[in-house]
Amino acid sequence: MQLDVVTLFPQWFDWFRGQHHVAKALEAGHELRALDLREHTPLSGGQVDDTPFGGGAGMVLRVDVMDHALQAFYATDPVELCKERRVIALTPGGRMLDDGLVDELAAEPAVTLLCGRYEGFDERIVQHFCSDAVSIGRYVIAGGELAAMVLCDAVLRKLPGALGHAQSATEESFSAALGGDPEYPHYTRPAEYRGWAIPDVLLSGHHEEIRRWRRARSRERGAAEA
Ligand code: ADE
């Protein structure tokens, strides 16, 4: 899979690329590129944003700057690009990122993420250059970079080669294997600590009983959330 991030801070992704499961996914042949939005601006002084029409606080990323950058990176009109691959604007007002969307994206051969800064994007970027708008939660962070890392982290760990244990990504919180419920509780040694004993069933060696116990705990957690 090819994950591209269009950002004003490409160097932030150097740290991210070094994280164990990300590094593993990259070794397995997946790609994560950070493309510098400022590098291709047609405006002087590296300008990428401007004041909002109608007034108000903050600055807005310009549509002409994004157009030039995407044309330079892909040698394709971005209006066409977003018909060929998922191009996603990261914005607090977008579709909420969840396990279903992560699965959907992990099945794509190529995805491009656009990071907003300041007050966000000129709306024409989202309307004409993007297939989707995605939010990581109903709060505002200073820019799309951390949201892009959250999304890339969640997608990359679903890909073959990223995790050591093949089961780890399939039977985890919110997955289809758990009926969309949160994951059951985990315990490790010591079996008793400060008088806190782990549930007996986990020491029983009865795989079917353990499976049923885990499914029940997972359902309880799901019901408590609803
Ligand atoms: N940019 C700023 N806040 C965001 C959020 N909650 N999700 C995605 N992108 C964002």
PDB file of all heavy atoms in Angstrom, residues 1 3 86 88 95-108 111 134-136 150-159 169 172-174:
ATOM      1  N   MET A   1       0.837  -1.196   0.000  1.00  0.00           N
ATOM      2  CA  MET A   1       0.000   0.000   0.000  1.00  0.00           C
ATOM      3  C   MET A   1       0.876   1.252   0.000  1.00  0.00           C
ATOM      4  O   MET A   1       1.923   1.273   0.640  1.00  0.00           O
ATOM      5  CB  MET A   1      -0.870  -0.006   1.262  1.00  0.00           C
ATOM      6  CG  MET A   1      -1.729   1.217   1.400  1.00  0.00           C
ATOM      7  SD  MET A   1      -2.724   1.149   2.882  1.00  0.00           S
ATOM      8  CE  MET A   1      -3.929   2.391   2.471  1.00  0.00           C
ATOM      9  N   LEU A   3       0.900   5.083   1.171  1.00  0.00           N
ATOM     10  CA  LEU A   3       0.258   6.142   1.948  1.00  0.00           C
ATOM     11  C   LEU A   3       1.057   7.425   1.741  1.00  0.00           C
ATOM     12  O   LEU A   3       2.254   7.465   2.037  1.00  0.00           O
ATOM     13  CB  LEU A   3       0.275   5.784   3.436  1.00  0.00           C
ATOM     14  CG  LEU A   3      -0.807   4.852   3.957  1.00  0.00           C
ATOM     15  CD1 LEU A   3      -0.441   4.345   5.340  1.00  0.00           C
ATOM     16  CD2 LEU A   3      -2.161   5.554   3.992  1.00  0.00           C
ATOM     17  N   ARG A  86      -8.175   7.279  -3.199  1.00  0.00           N
ATOM     18  CA  ARG A  86      -8.810   8.023  -2.110  1.00  0.00           C
ATOM     19  C   ARG A  86      -7.891   9.183  -1.737  1.00  0.00           C
ATOM     20  O   ARG A  86      -6.710   8.972  -1.428  1.00  0.00           O
ATOM     21  CB  ARG A  86      -9.019   7.131  -0.887  1.00  0.00           C
ATOM     22  CG  ARG A  86      -9.880   5.899  -1.140  1.00  0.00           C
ATOM     23  CD  ARG A  86     -11.360   6.185  -1.086  1.00  0.00           C
ATOM     24  NE  ARG A  86     -11.922   6.361   0.223  1.00  0.00           N
ATOM     25  CZ  ARG A  86     -12.537   5.397   0.929  1.00  0.00           C
ATOM     26  NH1 ARG A  86     -12.612   4.172   0.474  1.00  0.00           N
ATOM     27  NH2 ARG A  86     -13.093   5.668   2.096  1.00  0.00           N
ATOM     28  N   ILE A  88      -7.925  12.164   1.005  1.00  0.00           N
ATOM     29  CA  ILE A  88      -8.681  12.422   2.233  1.00  0.00           C
ATOM     30  C   ILE A  88      -8.229  13.709   2.900  1.00  0.00           C
ATOM     31  O   ILE A  88      -7.037  13.867   3.212  1.00  0.00           O
ATOM     32  CB  ILE A  88      -8.488  11.246   3.215  1.00  0.00           C
ATOM     33  CG1 ILE A  88      -9.009   9.951   2.580  1.00  0.00           C
ATOM     34  CG2 ILE A  88      -9.166  11.524   4.545  1.00  0.00           C
ATOM     35  CD1 ILE A  88      -8.733   8.704   3.417  1.00  0.00           C
ATOM     36  N   ARG A  95     -15.940  12.595   8.354  1.00  0.00           N
ATOM     37  CA  ARG A  95     -16.487  11.304   8.795  1.00  0.00           C
ATOM     38  C   ARG A  95     -15.604  10.763   9.912  1.00  0.00           C
ATOM     39  O   ARG A  95     -14.375  10.802   9.812  1.00  0.00           O
ATOM     40  CB  ARG A  95     -16.481  10.339   7.600  1.00  0.00           C
ATOM     41  CG  ARG A  95     -16.828   8.906   7.930  1.00  0.00           C
ATOM     42  CD  ARG A  95     -16.785   8.053   6.662  1.00  0.00           C
ATOM     43  NE  ARG A  95     -16.860   6.641   6.972  1.00  0.00           N
ATOM     44  CZ  ARG A  95     -16.686   5.663   6.086  1.00  0.00           C
ATOM     45  NH1 ARG A  95     -16.424   5.949   4.830  1.00  0.00           N
ATOM     46  NH2 ARG A  95     -16.764   4.391   6.451  1.00  0.00           N
ATOM     47  N   MET A  96     -16.232  10.277  10.962  1.00  0.00           N
ATOM     48  CA  MET A  96     -15.465   9.815  12.124  1.00  0.00           C
ATOM     49  C   MET A  96     -14.679   8.555  11.802  1.00  0.00           C
ATOM     50  O   MET A  96     -15.234   7.606  11.250  1.00  0.00           O
ATOM     51  CB  MET A  96     -16.437   9.553  13.276  1.00  0.00           C
ATOM     52  CG  MET A  96     -15.825   9.690  14.644  1.00  0.00           C
ATOM     53  SD  MET A  96     -15.152  11.326  14.925  1.00  0.00           S
ATOM     54  CE  MET A  96     -16.648  12.295  14.952  1.00  0.00           C
ATOM     55  N   LEU A  97     -13.402   8.570  12.110  1.00  0.00           N
ATOM     56  CA  LEU A  97     -12.556   7.390  11.896  1.00  0.00           C
ATOM     57  C   LEU A  97     -12.961   6.291  12.873  1.00  0.00           C
ATOM     58  O   LEU A  97     -13.033   6.528  14.080  1.00  0.00           O
ATOM     59  CB  LEU A  97     -11.092   7.769  12.127  1.00  0.00           C
ATOM     60  CG  LEU A  97     -10.060   6.671  11.864  1.00  0.00           C
ATOM     61  CD1 LEU A  97     -10.018   6.291  10.381  1.00  0.00           C
ATOM     62  CD2 LEU A  97      -8.674   7.110  12.315  1.00  0.00           C
ATOM     63  N   ASP A  98     -13.264   5.099  12.347  1.00  0.00           N
ATOM     64  CA  ASP A  98     -13.543   3.946  13.205  1.00  0.00           C
ATOM     65  C   ASP A  98     -12.961   2.705  12.547  1.00  0.00           C
ATOM     66  O   ASP A  98     -12.385   2.790  11.455  1.00  0.00           O
ATOM     67  CB  ASP A  98     -15.047   3.815  13.499  1.00  0.00           C
ATOM     68  CG  ASP A  98     -15.871   3.572  12.243  1.00  0.00           C
ATOM     69  OD1 ASP A  98     -15.282   3.298  11.178  1.00  0.00           O
ATOM     70  OD2 ASP A  98     -17.101   3.653  12.320  1.00  0.00           O
ATOM     71  N   ASP A  99     -13.122   1.562  13.193  1.00  0.00           N
ATOM     72  CA  ASP A  99     -12.481   0.331  12.699  1.00  0.00           C
ATOM     73  C   ASP A  99     -12.968  -0.033  11.290  1.00  0.00           C
ATOM     74  O   ASP A  99     -12.190  -0.546  10.484  1.00  0.00           O
ATOM     75  CB  ASP A  99     -12.733  -0.813  13.680  1.00  0.00           C
ATOM     76  CG  ASP A  99     -11.839  -2.005  13.379  1.00  0.00           C
ATOM     77  OD1 ASP A  99     -10.613  -1.867  13.512  1.00  0.00           O
ATOM     78  OD2 ASP A  99     -12.370  -3.058  12.976  1.00  0.00           O
ATOM     79  N   GLY A 100     -14.231   0.245  11.006  1.00  0.00           N
ATOM     80  CA  GLY A 100     -14.787  -0.062   9.684  1.00  0.00           C
ATOM     81  C   GLY A 100     -14.096   0.750   8.599  1.00  0.00           C
ATOM     82  O   GLY A 100     -13.722   0.224   7.545  1.00  0.00           O
ATOM     83  N   LEU A 101     -13.900   2.041   8.872  1.00  0.00           N
ATOM     84  CA  LEU A 101     -13.233   2.910   7.897  1.00  0.00           C
ATOM     85  C   LEU A 101     -11.755   2.511   7.752  1.00  0.00           C
ATOM     86  O   LEU A 101     -11.204   2.530   6.652  1.00  0.00           O
ATOM     87  CB  LEU A 101     -13.383   4.382   8.316  1.00  0.00           C
ATOM     88  CG  LEU A 101     -12.724   5.436   7.430  1.00  0.00           C
ATOM     89  CD1 LEU A 101     -13.115   5.293   5.956  1.00  0.00           C
ATOM     90  CD2 LEU A 101     -13.070   6.848   7.918  1.00  0.00           C
ATOM     91  N   VAL A 102     -11.140   2.135   8.855  1.00  0.00           N
ATOM     92  CA  VAL A 102      -9.736   1.695   8.803  1.00  0.00           C
ATOM     93  C   VAL A 102      -9.610   0.457   7.905  1.00  0.00           C
ATOM     94  O   VAL A 102      -8.724   0.386   7.044  1.00  0.00           O
ATOM     95  CB  VAL A 102      -9.190   1.412  10.226  1.00  0.00           C
ATOM     96  CG1 VAL A 102      -7.819   0.762  10.161  1.00  0.00           C
ATOM     97  CG2 VAL A 102      -9.128   2.689  11.041  1.00  0.00           C
ATOM     98  N   ASP A 103     -10.517  -0.500   8.061  1.00  0.00           N
ATOM     99  CA  ASP A 103     -10.516  -1.700   7.205  1.00  0.00           C
ATOM    100  C   ASP A 103     -10.687  -1.321   5.735  1.00  0.00           C
ATOM    101  O   ASP A 103     -10.022  -1.868   4.861  1.00  0.00           O
ATOM    102  CB  ASP A 103     -11.659  -2.643   7.591  1.00  0.00           C
ATOM    103  CG  ASP A 103     -11.266  -3.570   8.728  1.00  0.00           C
ATOM    104  OD1 ASP A 103     -10.059  -3.804   8.915  1.00  0.00           O
ATOM    105  OD2 ASP A 103     -12.168  -4.043   9.437  1.00  0.00           O
ATOM    106  N   GLU A 104     -11.611  -0.395   5.516  1.00  0.00           N
ATOM    107  CA  GLU A 104     -11.888   0.061   4.151  1.00  0.00           C
ATOM    108  C   GLU A 104     -10.614   0.650   3.519  1.00  0.00           C
ATOM    109  O   GLU A 104     -10.272   0.327   2.396  1.00  0.00           O
ATOM    110  CB  GLU A 104     -12.945   1.156   4.280  1.00  0.00           C
ATOM    111  CG  GLU A 104     -13.905   1.298   3.144  1.00  0.00           C
ATOM    112  CD  GLU A 104     -14.868   2.435   3.481  1.00  0.00           C
ATOM    113  OE1 GLU A 104     -15.694   2.284   4.412  1.00  0.00           O
ATOM    114  OE2 GLU A 104     -14.800   3.486   2.818  1.00  0.00           O
ATOM    115  N   LEU A 105      -9.909   1.475   4.288  1.00  0.00           N
ATOM    116  CA  LEU A 105      -8.712   2.136   3.763  1.00  0.00           C
ATOM    117  C   LEU A 105      -7.554   1.156   3.606  1.00  0.00           C
ATOM    118  O   LEU A 105      -6.767   1.255   2.668  1.00  0.00           O
ATOM    119  CB  LEU A 105      -8.317   3.320   4.655  1.00  0.00           C
ATOM    120  CG  LEU A 105      -9.360   4.437   4.718  1.00  0.00           C
ATOM    121  CD1 LEU A 105      -8.924   5.528   5.698  1.00  0.00           C
ATOM    122  CD2 LEU A 105      -9.607   5.046   3.339  1.00  0.00           C
ATOM    123  N   ALA A 106      -7.469   0.185   4.538  1.00  0.00           N
ATOM    124  CA  ALA A 106      -6.380  -0.800   4.470  1.00  0.00           C
ATOM    125  C   ALA A 106      -6.501  -1.665   3.213  1.00  0.00           C
ATOM    126  O   ALA A 106      -5.527  -2.272   2.776  1.00  0.00           O
ATOM    127  CB  ALA A 106      -6.379  -1.670   5.719  1.00  0.00           C
ATOM    128  N   ALA A 107      -7.700  -1.711   2.621  1.00  0.00           N
ATOM    129  CA  ALA A 107      -7.907  -2.513   1.405  1.00  0.00           C
ATOM    130  C   ALA A 107      -7.578  -1.724   0.134  1.00  0.00           C
ATOM    131  O   ALA A 107      -7.595  -2.269  -0.963  1.00  0.00           O
ATOM    132  CB  ALA A 107      -9.357  -2.992   1.355  1.00  0.00           C
ATOM    133  N   GLU A 108      -7.266  -0.432   0.280  1.00  0.00           N
ATOM    134  CA  GLU A 108      -6.942   0.409  -0.885  1.00  0.00           C
ATOM    135  C   GLU A 108      -5.477   0.237  -1.273  1.00  0.00           C
ATOM    136  O   GLU A 108      -4.618   0.119  -0.391  1.00  0.00           O
ATOM    137  CB  GLU A 108      -7.163   1.900  -0.540  1.00  0.00           C
ATOM    138  CG  GLU A 108      -8.588   2.286  -0.241  1.00  0.00           C
ATOM    139  CD  GLU A 108      -9.429   2.442  -1.499  1.00  0.00           C
ATOM    140  OE1 GLU A 108      -8.852   2.621  -2.594  1.00  0.00           O
ATOM    141  OE2 GLU A 108     -10.656   2.347  -1.383  1.00  0.00           O
ATOM    142  N   VAL A 111      -3.526   5.726  -0.882  1.00  0.00           N
ATOM    143  CA  VAL A 111      -4.342   6.751  -0.222  1.00  0.00           C
ATOM    144  C   VAL A 111      -3.486   8.006  -0.037  1.00  0.00           C
ATOM    145  O   VAL A 111      -2.298   7.904   0.290  1.00  0.00           O
ATOM    146  CB  VAL A 111      -4.846   6.248   1.159  1.00  0.00           C
ATOM    147  CG1 VAL A 111      -5.540   7.364   1.930  1.00  0.00           C
ATOM    148  CG2 VAL A 111      -5.791   5.055   1.005  1.00  0.00           C
ATOM    149  N   VAL A 134     -12.122  13.209   6.760  1.00  0.00           N
ATOM    150  CA  VAL A 134     -12.102  12.309   7.920  1.00  0.00           C
ATOM    151  C   VAL A 134     -11.667  13.070   9.170  1.00  0.00           C
ATOM    152  O   VAL A 134     -10.765  13.910   9.120  1.00  0.00           O
ATOM    153  CB  VAL A 134     -11.166  11.098   7.656  1.00  0.00           C
ATOM    154  CG1 VAL A 134     -10.920  10.300   8.923  1.00  0.00           C
ATOM    155  CG2 VAL A 134     -11.766  10.194   6.571  1.00  0.00           C
ATOM    156  N   SER A 135     -12.328  12.745  10.279  1.00  0.00           N
ATOM    157  CA  SER A 135     -12.015  13.336  11.582  1.00  0.00           C
ATOM    158  C   SER A 135     -11.586  12.223  12.534  1.00  0.00           C
ATOM    159  O   SER A 135     -12.103  11.115  12.461  1.00  0.00           O
ATOM    160  CB  SER A 135     -13.270  14.007  12.138  1.00  0.00           C
ATOM    161  OG  SER A 135     -13.099  14.361  13.497  1.00  0.00           O
ATOM    162  N   ILE A 136     -10.646  12.514  13.444  1.00  0.00           N
ATOM    163  CA  ILE A 136     -10.270  11.508  14.453  1.00  0.00           C
ATOM    164  C   ILE A 136     -11.033  11.725  15.756  1.00  0.00           C
ATOM    165  O   ILE A 136     -10.841  10.985  16.712  1.00  0.00           O
ATOM    166  CB  ILE A 136      -8.751  11.458  14.717  1.00  0.00           C
ATOM    167  CG1 ILE A 136      -8.226  12.798  15.227  1.00  0.00           C
ATOM    168  CG2 ILE A 136      -8.004  10.995  13.488  1.00  0.00           C
ATOM    169  CD1 ILE A 136      -6.878  12.694  15.929  1.00  0.00           C
ATOM    170  N   VAL A 150      -2.385   9.110  13.326  1.00  0.00           N
ATOM    171  CA  VAL A 150      -3.358   8.186  13.941  1.00  0.00           C
ATOM    172  C   VAL A 150      -3.945   7.281  12.860  1.00  0.00           C
ATOM    173  O   VAL A 150      -3.987   6.047  13.005  1.00  0.00           O
ATOM    174  CB  VAL A 150      -4.481   8.972  14.669  1.00  0.00           C
ATOM    175  CG1 VAL A 150      -5.643   8.070  15.039  1.00  0.00           C
ATOM    176  CG2 VAL A 150      -3.926   9.663  15.911  1.00  0.00           C
ATOM    177  N   LEU A 151      -4.369   7.888  11.772  1.00  0.00           N
ATOM    178  CA  LEU A 151      -4.979   7.103  10.683  1.00  0.00           C
ATOM    179  C   LEU A 151      -3.959   6.112  10.095  1.00  0.00           C
ATOM    180  O   LEU A 151      -4.259   4.927   9.918  1.00  0.00           O
ATOM    181  CB  LEU A 151      -5.512   8.059   9.616  1.00  0.00           C
ATOM    182  CG  LEU A 151      -6.363   7.428   8.520  1.00  0.00           C
ATOM    183  CD1 LEU A 151      -7.348   8.458   7.959  1.00  0.00           C
ATOM    184  CD2 LEU A 151      -5.544   6.865   7.382  1.00  0.00           C
ATOM    185  N   CYS A 152      -2.740   6.594   9.809  1.00  0.00           N
ATOM    186  CA  CYS A 152      -1.708   5.718   9.220  1.00  0.00           C
ATOM    187  C   CYS A 152      -1.359   4.591  10.185  1.00  0.00           C
ATOM    188  O   CYS A 152      -1.171   3.439   9.766  1.00  0.00           O
ATOM    189  CB  CYS A 152      -0.437   6.504   8.893  1.00  0.00           C
ATOM    190  SG  CYS A 152      -0.638   7.631   7.512  1.00  0.00           S
ATOM    191  N   ASP A 153      -1.267   4.897  11.468  1.00  0.00           N
ATOM    192  CA  ASP A 153      -0.956   3.874  12.479  1.00  0.00           C
ATOM    193  C   ASP A 153      -2.024   2.783  12.443  1.00  0.00           C
ATOM    194  O   ASP A 153      -1.724   1.589  12.362  1.00  0.00           O
ATOM    195  CB  ASP A 153      -0.902   4.551  13.854  1.00  0.00           C
ATOM    196  CG  ASP A 153      -0.442   3.612  14.950  1.00  0.00           C
ATOM    197  OD1 ASP A 153      -1.110   2.588  15.177  1.00  0.00           O
ATOM    198  OD2 ASP A 153       0.581   3.907  15.598  1.00  0.00           O
ATOM    199  N   ALA A 154      -3.292   3.210  12.465  1.00  0.00           N
ATOM    200  CA  ALA A 154      -4.407   2.251  12.495  1.00  0.00           C
ATOM    201  C   ALA A 154      -4.465   1.422  11.212  1.00  0.00           C
ATOM    202  O   ALA A 154      -4.746   0.227  11.254  1.00  0.00           O
ATOM    203  CB  ALA A 154      -5.717   3.006  12.713  1.00  0.00           C
ATOM    204  N   VAL A 155      -4.163   2.051  10.075  1.00  0.00           N
ATOM    205  CA  VAL A 155      -4.210   1.331   8.787  1.00  0.00           C
ATOM    206  C   VAL A 155      -3.006   0.395   8.656  1.00  0.00           C
ATOM    207  O   VAL A 155      -3.156  -0.778   8.323  1.00  0.00           O
ATOM    208  CB  VAL A 155      -4.265   2.328   7.604  1.00  0.00           C
ATOM    209  CG1 VAL A 155      -4.003   1.627   6.278  1.00  0.00           C
ATOM    210  CG2 VAL A 155      -5.625   3.031   7.567  1.00  0.00           C
ATOM    211  N   LEU A 156      -1.819   0.914   8.951  1.00  0.00           N
ATOM    212  CA  LEU A 156      -0.593   0.117   8.736  1.00  0.00           C
ATOM    213  C   LEU A 156      -0.584  -1.151   9.580  1.00  0.00           C
ATOM    214  O   LEU A 156      -0.123  -2.195   9.134  1.00  0.00           O
ATOM    215  CB  LEU A 156       0.658   0.957   9.028  1.00  0.00           C
ATOM    216  CG  LEU A 156       0.994   1.997   7.950  1.00  0.00           C
ATOM    217  CD1 LEU A 156       2.105   2.931   8.440  1.00  0.00           C
ATOM    218  CD2 LEU A 156       1.420   1.340   6.642  1.00  0.00           C
ATOM    219  N   ARG A 157      -1.107  -1.072  10.812  1.00  0.00           N
ATOM    220  CA  ARG A 157      -1.066  -2.272  11.661  1.00  0.00           C
ATOM    221  C   ARG A 157      -2.038  -3.358  11.214  1.00  0.00           C
ATOM    222  O   ARG A 157      -1.956  -4.480  11.670  1.00  0.00           O
ATOM    223  CB  ARG A 157      -1.247  -1.909  13.138  1.00  0.00           C
ATOM    224  CG  ARG A 157      -2.552  -1.300  13.489  1.00  0.00           C
ATOM    225  CD  ARG A 157      -2.513  -0.700  14.873  1.00  0.00           C
ATOM    226  NE  ARG A 157      -2.285  -1.707  15.907  1.00  0.00           N
ATOM    227  CZ  ARG A 157      -3.175  -2.613  16.284  1.00  0.00           C
ATOM    228  NH1 ARG A 157      -4.354  -2.655  15.693  1.00  0.00           N
ATOM    229  NH2 ARG A 157      -2.893  -3.477  17.240  1.00  0.00           N
ATOM    230  N   LYS A 158      -2.935  -3.000  10.274  1.00  0.00           N
ATOM    231  CA  LYS A 158      -3.831  -4.007   9.693  1.00  0.00           C
ATOM    232  C   LYS A 158      -3.167  -4.736   8.525  1.00  0.00           C
ATOM    233  O   LYS A 158      -3.688  -5.730   8.049  1.00  0.00           O
ATOM    234  CB  LYS A 158      -5.090  -3.335   9.136  1.00  0.00           C
ATOM    235  CG  LYS A 158      -5.942  -2.629  10.152  1.00  0.00           C
ATOM    236  CD  LYS A 158      -7.109  -3.479  10.571  1.00  0.00           C
ATOM    237  CE  LYS A 158      -8.047  -2.675  11.448  1.00  0.00           C
ATOM    238  NZ  LYS A 158      -9.134  -3.503  11.956  1.00  0.00           N
ATOM    239  N   LEU A 159      -2.082  -4.186   8.013  1.00  0.00           N
ATOM    240  CA  LEU A 159      -1.492  -4.739   6.789  1.00  0.00           C
ATOM    241  C   LEU A 159      -0.595  -5.920   7.108  1.00  0.00           C
ATOM    242  O   LEU A 159       0.060  -5.942   8.156  1.00  0.00           O
ATOM    243  CB  LEU A 159      -0.682  -3.657   6.061  1.00  0.00           C
ATOM    244  CG  LEU A 159      -1.468  -2.413   5.649  1.00  0.00           C
ATOM    245  CD1 LEU A 159      -0.540  -1.401   4.985  1.00  0.00           C
ATOM    246  CD2 LEU A 159      -2.614  -2.765   4.706  1.00  0.00           C
ATOM    247  N   ALA A 169      -4.276  -8.357  14.971  1.00  0.00           N
ATOM    248  CA  ALA A 169      -5.086  -7.292  14.386  1.00  0.00           C
ATOM    249  C   ALA A 169      -6.502  -7.747  14.070  1.00  0.00           C
ATOM    250  O   ALA A 169      -7.382  -6.921  13.895  1.00  0.00           O
ATOM    251  CB  ALA A 169      -4.425  -6.752  13.120  1.00  0.00           C
ATOM    252  N   GLU A 172      -9.319  -7.884  17.797  1.00  0.00           N
ATOM    253  CA  GLU A 172      -9.036  -6.804  18.714  1.00  0.00           C
ATOM    254  C   GLU A 172     -10.262  -5.909  18.782  1.00  0.00           C
ATOM    255  O   GLU A 172     -11.241  -6.137  18.076  1.00  0.00           O
ATOM    256  CB  GLU A 172      -7.801  -6.023  18.271  1.00  0.00           C
ATOM    257  CG  GLU A 172      -8.015  -5.305  16.960  1.00  0.00           C
ATOM    258  CD  GLU A 172      -6.793  -4.548  16.502  1.00  0.00           C
ATOM    259  OE1 GLU A 172      -5.766  -4.588  17.191  1.00  0.00           O
ATOM    260  OE2 GLU A 172      -6.877  -3.911  15.455  1.00  0.00           O
ATOM    261  N   SER A 173     -10.180  -4.896  19.643  1.00  0.00           N
ATOM    262  CA  SER A 173     -11.347  -4.042  19.874  1.00  0.00           C
ATOM    263  C   SER A 173     -12.014  -3.598  18.580  1.00  0.00           C
ATOM    264  O   SER A 173     -11.324  -3.196  17.631  1.00  0.00           O
ATOM    265  CB  SER A 173     -10.922  -2.796  20.656  1.00  0.00           C
ATOM    266  OG  SER A 173     -10.577  -3.142  21.967  1.00  0.00           O
ATOM    267  N   PHE A 174     -13.331  -3.678  18.552  1.00  0.00           N
ATOM    268  CA  PHE A 174     -14.191  -3.150  17.488  1.00  0.00           C
ATOM    269  C   PHE A 174     -14.108  -3.928  16.182  1.00  0.00           C
ATOM    270  O   PHE A 174     -14.716  -3.562  15.197  1.00  0.00           O
ATOM    271  CB  PHE A 174     -13.911  -1.652  17.224  1.00  0.00           C
ATOM    272  CG  PHE A 174     -13.688  -0.876  18.488  1.00  0.00           C
ATOM    273  CD1 PHE A 174     -12.464  -0.306  18.785  1.00  0.00           C
ATOM    274  CD2 PHE A 174     -14.707  -0.768  19.423  1.00  0.00           C
ATOM    275  CE1 PHE A 174     -12.256   0.368  19.970  1.00  0.00           C
ATOM    276  CE2 PHE A 174     -14.507  -0.084  20.617  1.00  0.00           C
ATOM    277  CZ  PHE A 174     -13.277   0.480  20.890  1.00  0.00           C
TER     278      PHE A 174
END
